[in-house]
């Protein structure tokens, strides 16, 4: 934590540069809005926040003509939930997005981009990484969403691929030049500071011993280019600029290497710098604020209506030198609960007091103890009880009005599921935090091994991954992620007895976790026991009706068993659901079920529908033994010939 009240020389110098200011008259109307989000960026690693070794001249100069918020708090130390809060003005329990990959922002949560688009603004975005790819829900409202994972050939990209800061800047400036003459909203997302810390030259040389700082310096240079472009285009003075970190990074403080598991200031305290159109006075705001305040602030400057019920407030009064209302700032991390079976962490920051509800509650006076080393829960019990009561009331109230969480459906194919798992973002249907598990702070020492499992699985080093999983399970027997990855690793090693035992343990501990039920059935398929596999999938589907991935695997297992009539019945039931109806793979299974049942015309029609809907795995259609009945129907070659070659 950086001492408060520090104003660096760059800010003082920038105050004396009148060419960048709007003069002493009335501030101009907002003609443009630029939102820059810095992934995984701590406030205390930016120069204007008092970090002397920093090389962040662009951000420091922005603070020198704008407003620096000294105590901005991320609602969650995770990319997608934090961005969802910035875009909606609501906390994660309200908009429903609690983690990356596992959730998407639902349509009931209106975003800034949607509101501005409907008001006639040009809207563009350049997201840099998989957690905010198109499909996360953040793309809604953007006429241009230049997502790396939606480009030709992106199907083969590993999820760890990121768009470089230079590309984000280049595409952002190109969009500014092409946008036309009207009002605009542009969001640029810089992922560079995220692990692994590998800044390009010359930053790799300049920051050889501080690569994390080098990544921030690299992003700062690129952001400066955008600022220069705004000035050259005559847009600077009338543009609202908001630069925010989405969350911080542990850097081994409190035992946390990266982020997501704990809720200390190392991962919650982020930079927030705002330059209002024509702002002529440099300000520093010391009151705690939240990233949920970003959306109301943007809408206020855009003269657009703020949706009712949002948790954030407009920061415009503070930009004018006014005060902000005293309030409690919410934060959470439920990642350990959703992923590993640990206890969720939820808390409030009010003034100098920071309270965290957990298996072992904590209370810190962050003014006197910025490093959060001295838990005052017992010494100041009344403060803790007061904040705990407010927290409990807030969470209960939000539960009544929260948006329906939209889970990411368990992928239909194992490769897609492993693609998510390689990032640690495991999809499924677990949508609520489970209380009563072990305290994350007692198990955060396992973080390194858990991350190593992900790396080993991605590298297909299954023996090493299995050994890592077994080591974690000795310390934390109910760790869901370790159990799941152990099943996968054992299956890849063809150690099916071990895989069967581990899968049974996973299902027994987490019966609500659909990917676990899928794994349980898939192990039976690998063992050649199709009858047992059908029973497993059918039982799981009975407990989780409507789960697309279970319906699909049940139908496939029935086709493999040559029970075509039963498979067709399972598919027809599944196709009543919109998700299944929109999934081309279901039409392929329907096609082979019809072919196996003797309905060649129906089979050809279903195959045609699958191909028209985007099914493009020609190799599978032409070689998979299970699909032999489909290849025997008249017109099969004609339909397959309509498949467009896969983009590379």
């Amino acid at each position: 934590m950086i001492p408060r009240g520090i104003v660096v020389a760059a800010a003082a110098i920038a105050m004396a540069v009148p060419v960048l200011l709007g003069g002493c008259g009335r501030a101009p109307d907002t003609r443009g809005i630029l939102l820059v989000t810095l992934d995984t960026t701590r406030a205390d690693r930016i120069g204007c926040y008092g970090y002397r070794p920093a090389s962040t001249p662009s951000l420091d100069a922005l603070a020198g003509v704008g407003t620096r918020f000294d105590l901005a708090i991320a609602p969650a130390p995770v990319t997608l939930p934090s961005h969802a809060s910035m875009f909606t003005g609501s906390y994660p329990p309200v908009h429903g997005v609690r983690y990356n990959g596992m959730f998407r922002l639902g349509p009931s949560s209106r975003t800034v981009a949607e509101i501005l688009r409907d008001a006639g603004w040009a809207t563009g975005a350049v997201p840099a990484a998989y957690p905010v790819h198109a499909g996360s829900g953040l793309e809604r409202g953007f006429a241009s969403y230049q997502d790396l994972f939606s480009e030709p050939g992106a199907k083969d990209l590993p999820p760890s691929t990121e768009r470089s800061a230079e590309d984000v800047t280049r595409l952002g400036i190109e969009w500014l030049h092409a946008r036309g003459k009207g009002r605009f909203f542009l969001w640029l997302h810089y992922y560079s500071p995220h692990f692994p810390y590998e800044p390009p030259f010359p930053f790799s040389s300049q920051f050889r011993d501080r690569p994390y700082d080098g990544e921030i310096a690299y992003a700062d240079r690129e952001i400066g280019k955008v600022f220069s472009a705004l000035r050259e285009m005559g847009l600077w003075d009338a543009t609202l600029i908001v630069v925010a970190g989405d969350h911080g990074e542990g850097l081994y403080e409190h035992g946390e290497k990266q982020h997501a598991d704990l809720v200390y200031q190392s991962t919650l305290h982020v930079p927030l710098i705002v330059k209002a159109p024509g702002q002529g006075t440099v300000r520093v705001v010391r009151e705690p604020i939240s990233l949920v305040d970003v959306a109301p602030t943007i809408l206020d400057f855009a003269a657009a209506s703020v949706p009712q019920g949002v948790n954030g407030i407009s920061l415009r009064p503070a930009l004018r030198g006014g005060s902000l209302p005293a309030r409690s700032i919410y934060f959470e991390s439920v990642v350990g609960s959703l992923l590993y079976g640990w206890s969720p962490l939820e808390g409030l920051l009010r003034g100098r007091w920071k309270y965290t509800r957990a298996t072992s509650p904590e209370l810190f006076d962050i003014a006197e103890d910025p490093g959060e080393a001295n838990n005052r829960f017992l010494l100041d019990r009344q403060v803790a009880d007061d904040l705990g009561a407010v927290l409990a009331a807030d969470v209960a109230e939000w539960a009544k009005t929260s948006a329906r969480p939209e889970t990411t459906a368990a992928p239909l194919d194992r490769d897609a599921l492993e693609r998510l798992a390689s990032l640690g973002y495991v999809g499924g249907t677990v949508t609520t935090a489970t209380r009563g598990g072990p305290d994350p702070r007692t198990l955060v020492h396992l973080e390194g091994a858990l991350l190593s499992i992900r790396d080993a699985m991605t590298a297909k080093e299954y023996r090493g991954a299995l050994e890592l999983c077994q080591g974690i399970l000795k310390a934390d027997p109910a760790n869901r992620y370790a159990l799941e990855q152990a099943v996968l690793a054992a299956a890849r090693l063809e150690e099916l007895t071990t895989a069967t035992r581990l899968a049974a343990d996973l299902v027994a501990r987490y019966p609500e976790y659909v990917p676990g039920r899928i794994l349980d059935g898939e192990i039976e398929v690998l063992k050649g026991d199709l009858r047992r596999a059908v029973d497993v999938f059918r039982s799981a589907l009975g407990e989780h009706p409507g789960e697309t991935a279970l319906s699909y695997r049940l139908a496939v297992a029935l086709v493999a068993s040559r029970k075509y009539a039963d498979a067709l019945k399972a598919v027809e039931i599944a196709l009543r659901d919109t998700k299944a109806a929109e999934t081309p793979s279901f039409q392929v299974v329907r096609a082979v079920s019809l072919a196996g049942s003797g309905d060649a015309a129906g089979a050809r029609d279903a195959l045609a529908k699958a191909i028209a809907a985007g099914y493009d795995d020609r190799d599978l259609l032409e070689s998979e033994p299970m699909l032999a009945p489909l290849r025997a129907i008249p017109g099969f070659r004609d339909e397959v010939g309509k498949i467009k070659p896969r983009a590379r």
Side-chain angles (χ1 to χ4, degrees):
M1 181 69 67
I2 297 302
R4 297 175 181 173
I6 293 177
V7 179
V8 297
I13 293 170
M15 288 172 61
V17 185
V19 72
L20 298 182
L21 306 182
C24 299
R26 179 181 176 274
D29 292 335
T30 304
R31 303 301 299 167
I33 298 171
L34 171 65
L35 172 63
V36 174
T37 57
L38 290 163
D39 214 290
T40 323
T41 301
R42 293 169 57 133
D44 61 5
R45 291 304 178 99
I46 308 296
C48 61
Y49 283 84
Y51 186 54
R52 293 185 180 279
S55 178
T56 52
S58 302
L59 297 179
D60 298 344
L62 184 68
V65 295
T67 301
R68 185 186 81 232
F69 291 86
D70 262 1
L71 196 52
I73 300 298
V78 189
T79 296
L80 182 56
S82 188
H83 277 86
S85 289
M86 281 191 269
F87 276 66
T88 65
S90 298
Y91 287 123
V94 178
H95 58 60
V97 178
R98 316 303 284 273
Y99 191 44
N100 300 330
M102 202 180 279
F103 301 86
R104 64 169 61 91
L105 186 66
S108 59
S109 297
R110 291 268 289 168
T111 69
V112 166
E114 289 178 295
I115 295 169
L116 294 182
R117 175 203 60 192
D118 293 347
W121 292 60
T123 54
V126 187
Y130 188 78
V132 291
H133 73 294
S136 66
L138 295 185
E139 76 280 1
R140 293 202 320 270
F142 285 106
S144 171
Y145 199 84
Q146 300 189 65
D147 170 28
L148 187 65
F149 293 89
S150 298
E151 294 179 352
K155 199 169 190 178
D156 298 324
L157 288 176
S160 57
T161 305
E162 64 183 80
R163 195 183 287 286
S164 71
E166 288 171 275
D167 279 350
V168 171
T169 292
R170 175 181 56 80
L171 292 171
I173 293 174
E174 288 176 357
W175 184 88
L176 283 170
H177 281 290
R179 66 183 171 82
K181 297 296 183 182
R183 297 176 297 176
F184 69 89
F185 171 50
L186 174 63
W187 168 44
L188 301 180
H189 172 231
Y190 292 89
Y191 199 67
S192 304
H194 195 283
F195 187 85
Y197 319 129
E198 298 172 343
F201 184 84
F203 304 100
S204 57
S205 177
Q206 296 169 1
F207 295 88
R208 185 180 296 108
D209 299 325
R210 295 183 290 119
Y212 176 70
D213 292 352
E215 291 277 31
I216 294 174
Y218 168 46
D220 181 89
R221 183 192 70 180
E222 294 306 311
I223 293 168
K225 294 178 184 178
V226 180
F227 292 169
S228 295
L230 288 173
R231 294 188 185 99
E232 292 167 5
M233 297 172 69
L235 297 171
W236 175 267
D237 196 52
T239 297
L240 172 71
I241 298 177
V242 180
V243 178
D246 68 339
H247 58 76
E249 188 77 315
L251 301 181
Y252 295 100
E253 290 185 23
H254 303 279
E256 186 174 27
K257 177 183 178 183
Q258 295 184 31
H259 58 271
D261 294 328
L262 304 181
V263 288
Y264 294 106
Q265 294 297 85
S266 50
T267 60
L268 293 184
H269 182 205
V270 295
L272 178 64
I273 306 169
V274 180
K275 182 202 75 72
Q279 182 171 347
T281 303
V282 178
R283 303 192 190 281
V284 177
V285 178
R286 311 202 188 283
E287 296 100 323
I289 64 96
S290 171
L291 292 183
V292 297
D293 300 330
V294 168
T297 302
I298 288 175
L299 295 175
D300 189 356
F301 275 93
S305 298
V306 178
Q308 290 187 339
V310 301
N311 305 116
I313 62 172
S314 174
L315 301 174
R316 190 169 191 165
L319 300 178
R320 293 173 169 173
S323 60
L324 297 174
R327 59 193 172 125
S328 299
I329 304 295
Y330 174 82
F331 57 85
E332 70 169 34
S333 174
V334 298
V335 172
S337 176
L338 294 172
L339 228 60
Y340 310 133
W342 299 348
S343 170
L345 300 172
E346 301 156 305
L348 292 177
L349 174 65
R350 187 171 66 193
R352 64 194 299 156
W353 295 106
K354 182 181 178 184
Y355 167 78
T356 302
R357 179 171 69 179
T359 306
S360 301
E362 289 185 329
L363 179 72
F364 295 108
D365 179 347
I366 60 171
E368 296 294 331
D369 178 25
E372 298 168 284
N374 303 308
N375 184 5
R376 299 188 62 86
F377 179 75
L378 296 177
L379 294 174
D380 293 283
R381 188 59 182 268
Q382 186 60 56
V383 175
D385 288 347
D386 288 346
L387 287 172
V390 173
L391 174 64
D394 284 346
V395 171
E397 187 63 28
W398 295 334
K400 298 176 186 176
T401 59
S402 63
R404 179 180 176 271
E406 291 211 359
T407 59
T408 301
L412 295 184
D413 60 279
R414 171 55 50 190
D415 286 343
L417 189 61
E418 290 185 354
R419 192 168 187 262
L420 282 173
S422 71
L423 277 179
Y425 306 149
V426 185
T429 58
V430 181
T431 62
T432 56
T434 303
R435 303 193 183 281
D439 193 315
R441 292 163 298 196
T442 66
L443 293 171
V444 72
H445 64 279
L446 298 176
E447 177 193 26
L450 288 164
L451 293 171
S452 295
I453 291 172
R454 178 194 65 189
D455 295 340
M457 291 296 290
T458 301
K460 299 183 179 181
E461 297 172 355
Y462 301 119
R463 175 62 60 195
L466 182 58
E467 291 174 356
L468 284 167
C469 291
Q470 290 169 333
I472 286 174
L473 292 172
K474 288 180 181 178
D476 184 17
N479 192 294
R480 198 197 80 194
Y481 182 74
L483 275 170
E484 180 179 36
Q485 298 306 304
V487 176
L488 283 168
R492 294 294 192 187
L493 292 167
E494 299 184 1
E495 297 178 5
L496 299 185
T497 299
T498 298
T500 300
R501 173 178 56 80
L502 290 166
D505 193 10
L506 177 62
V507 170
R509 293 180 186 273
Y510 300 100
E512 76 285 4
Y513 185 57
V514 170
R517 308 299 290 269
I518 291 171
L519 274 175
D520 192 26
E522 287 183 338
I523 297 303
E524 298 303 326
V525 172
L526 288 174
K527 290 161 62 176
D529 192 341
L530 291 175
R531 182 175 179 179
R532 170 65 181 155
V534 167
D535 289 343
V536 168
F537 291 135
R538 185 168 278 146
S539 174
L541 193 57
E543 296 177 36
H544 301 281
E547 275 293 340
T548 308
L550 284 171
S551 299
Y552 179 78
R553 283 172 171 78
L554 172 60
V556 169
L558 288 166
V559 167
S561 303
R562 299 184 181 181
K563 296 182 178 180
Y564 300 114
D566 289 344
L568 183 59
K569 182 178 179 181
V571 170
E572 296 291 359
I573 292 173
L575 288 174
R576 297 172 190 169
D577 181 79
T578 303
K579 287 181 181 178
E582 295 176 348
T583 304
S585 297
F586 268 96
Q587 289 295 344
V588 173
V589 178
R590 181 169 178 265
V592 71
S593 300
L594 288 165
S597 300
D599 185 353
R604 180 172 180 174
D605 179 66
L607 178 59
K609 287 181 179 178
I611 293 169
Y615 190 87
D616 64 353
D617 197 339
R618 184 168 183 162
D619 291 342
L620 187 72
L621 290 173
E622 293 179 332
S623 62
E624 169 57 46
M626 265 196 312
L627 300 183
L630 186 57
R631 290 192 287 274
I633 66 170
F636 171 79
R637 290 289 171 191
D638 293 335
E639 296 301 331
V640 171
K642 299 175 184 177
I643 295 177
K644 296 179 181 179
R646 287 186 171 186
R648 289 287 175 182

